[in-house]
């Protein structure tokens, strides 16, 4: 099997994923998963599609992450891994779709408007 690649995005984070056959090693920006995401919750989020299909020990995964914060990055990696697994085996798509791993979350930060301190907050109104 050759290397399969996919891209996942969430908020401002972008994840490029390269999946190849191997022993289950996940490398993010040339660091292992545990050192890049010390939080066990974020590690769990990245591994969710693999655990759903029981292929955790089957593939080596190399991820390039940039932009956003750690939560957005972990969810971008999850989407990219799900997309790569669908490229490898299209029959897995309904199982991943039912868990919501295939859907790109479109929510991003709303832009700041001129004449306001934030996107929706307004300066205090003074009648006099």
């Amino acid at each position: 099997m050759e290397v399969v690649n996919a891209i996942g995005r969430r908020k401002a984070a972008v994840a490029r994923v390269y999946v190849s056959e191997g022993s289950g090693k996940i490398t993010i920006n040339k660091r292992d998963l545990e050192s890049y995401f010390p939080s066990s919750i974020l590690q769990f989020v990245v591994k969710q599609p693999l655990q759903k299909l029981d292929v955790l020990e089957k593939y080596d995964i190399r991820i390039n992450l940039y932009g956003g914060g750690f939560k957005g990055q972990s969810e971008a990696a999850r989407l990219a891994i799900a997309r790569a697994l669908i490229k490898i085996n299209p029959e897995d798509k309904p199982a991943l779709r039912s868990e919501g791993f295939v859907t790109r979350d479109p929510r991003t930060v709303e832009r700041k408007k001129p004449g306001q301190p934030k996107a929706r907050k307004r300066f205090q109104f003074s009648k006099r």
Side-chain angles (χ1 to χ4, degrees), residues 87-126:
K87 274 188 184 177
I88 293 167
N89 186 4
E91 287 101 68
D92 293 334
K93 191 170 184 175
L96 293 171
R97 162 90 54 207
S98 68
E99 296 288 321
F101 300 150
V102 184
T103 307
R104 156 75 160 106
D105 194 338
R107 296 175 295 173
T108 57
V109 177
E110 193 174 330
R111 76 178 190 89
K112 183 195 170 298
K113 316 299 189 305
Q116 297 178 19
K118 290 161 82 176
R120 303 220 171 167
K121 188 176 186 180
R122 290 183 163 61
F123 289 115
Q124 186 171 341
F125 176 73
S126 172

Side-chain angles (χ1 to χ4, degrees), residues 31-73:
R31 290 159 58 187
D32 62 321
L33 177 69
E34 286 73 27
S35 71
Y36 194 86
F37 290 127
S39 164
S40 59
I41 294 164
L42 297 177
Q43 292 173 24
F44 173 75
V45 167
V46 172
K47 291 178 183 174
Q48 273 180 314
L50 301 165
Q51 287 170 336
K52 175 70 179 163
L53 301 175
D54 289 326
V55 292
L56 206 53
E57 306 296 315
K58 194 176 175 188
Y59 300 113
D60 280 346
I61 299 175
R62 192 165 47 86
I63 305 173
N64 291 343
L65 271 174
Y66 63 91
F70 48 82
K71 182 153 181 12
Q73 286 190 345

